Amino acid sequence: MVINVAPLLKQPLGTRVDIEVEESPIDPRGDNAGLLDAAIVDIDAKLHATHTNPGAYLEGSADAHVAAQCARCLTPIDTPVHADFAEQYFATVPVDTGVGIVAAPLDAKTVGSDFMVDLTPLLREELILVTPVAPVCRPDCAGLCPVCGDDLNDRPHAHDEPVDRRWTALQELRDKIGKSES
Ligand SMILES: [Zn+2]
Ligand SMILES: [Zn+2]
């Protein structure tokens, strides 16, 4: 979602505006489509922008769901994520002659001469930071059987693996010998 901060920057310092970004599911052709790059499937964010001397200070929180796969059983899951954030956007051009412009730090987010601020990269970055690396479908997910690959949640079982293999090999040998003798 892109917002125009020019009206805010024309207001006295300290003026605050509320911004809400809510979309479920996210439209691939909509304003928030950039969130889909981070597998974010829905968004409910509440922000406010405050006019500060170097520009606009954005702070807020976002709740979203990220499409993922359970790290243990591989079931598709939507992981809920929550992010709290604050970011200073530095104005690079005065919106009117009355406002002094301070030099923005090199790595700072800036407001260009069109005074449009795209919130999508900010929300995407903040939500990626809180997305778990190895999400699980539930805390006690048993995962997949390492021997046969079956889902241990659906079919709890164990294999007596080493013995099984030895007996199988012996059985095969016996079968071979039996066949060649007959
Ligand atoms: Zn699972
Ligand atoms: Zn198994």
Side-chain angles (χ1 to χ4, degrees):
M1 181 174 165
V2 179
I3 57 161
N4 179 4
V5 296
L8 174 69
L9 299 187
K10 285 173 184 163
Q11 298 296 312
L13 285 174
T15 303
R16 205 176 102 160
V17 291
D18 294 327
I19 304 155
E20 203 165 327
V21 184
E22 200 181 348
E23 194 176 4
S24 177
I26 288 166
D27 181 353
R29 275 176 275 178
D31 282 349
N32 301 314
L35 296 174
L36 294 168
D37 298 346
I40 296 161
V41 293
D42 59 31
I43 180 92
D44 181 5
K46 284 170 183 62
L47 298 89
H48 41 258
T50 308
H51 182 197
T52 52
N53 190 32
Y57 185 72
L58 265 85
E59 63 183 322
S61 63
D63 286 288
H65 284 88
V66 178
Q69 221 177 24
C70 172
R72 293 184 201 154
C73 73
L74 310 182
T75 301
I77 45 167
D78 282 348
T79 311
V81 289
H82 175 88
D84 293 300
F85 50 86
E87 193 76 54
Q88 175 69 49
Y89 283 74
F90 289 81
T92 52
V93 192
V95 74
D96 57 50
T97 49
V99 182
I101 295 292
V102 296
L106 276 179
D107 58 346
K109 290 190 160 54
T110 54
V111 180
S113 53
D114 60 356
F115 295 98
M116 302 303 275
V117 170
D118 189 353
L119 297 178
T120 305
L122 173 69
L123 292 170
R124 189 173 55 213
E125 276 170 35
E126 298 294 340
L127 290 168
I128 286 172
L129 287 175
V130 295
T131 298
V133 177
V136 285
C137 62
R138 53 171 208 255
D140 63 344
C141 172
L144 301 179
C145 171
V147 177
C148 70
D150 276 7
D151 192 330
L152 293 170
N153 300 301
D154 295 340
R155 194 170 72 84
H157 66 279
H159 297 267
D160 202 358
E161 192 209 352
V163 175
D164 269 355
R165 273 196 189 152
R166 222 174 295 144
W167 280 113
T168 308
L170 207 63
Q171 192 61 52
E172 278 169 8
L173 199 66
R174 264 191 206 143
D175 288 351
K176 258 186 212 164
I177 294 165
K179 271 174 200 156
S180 61
E181 275 179 353
S182 62

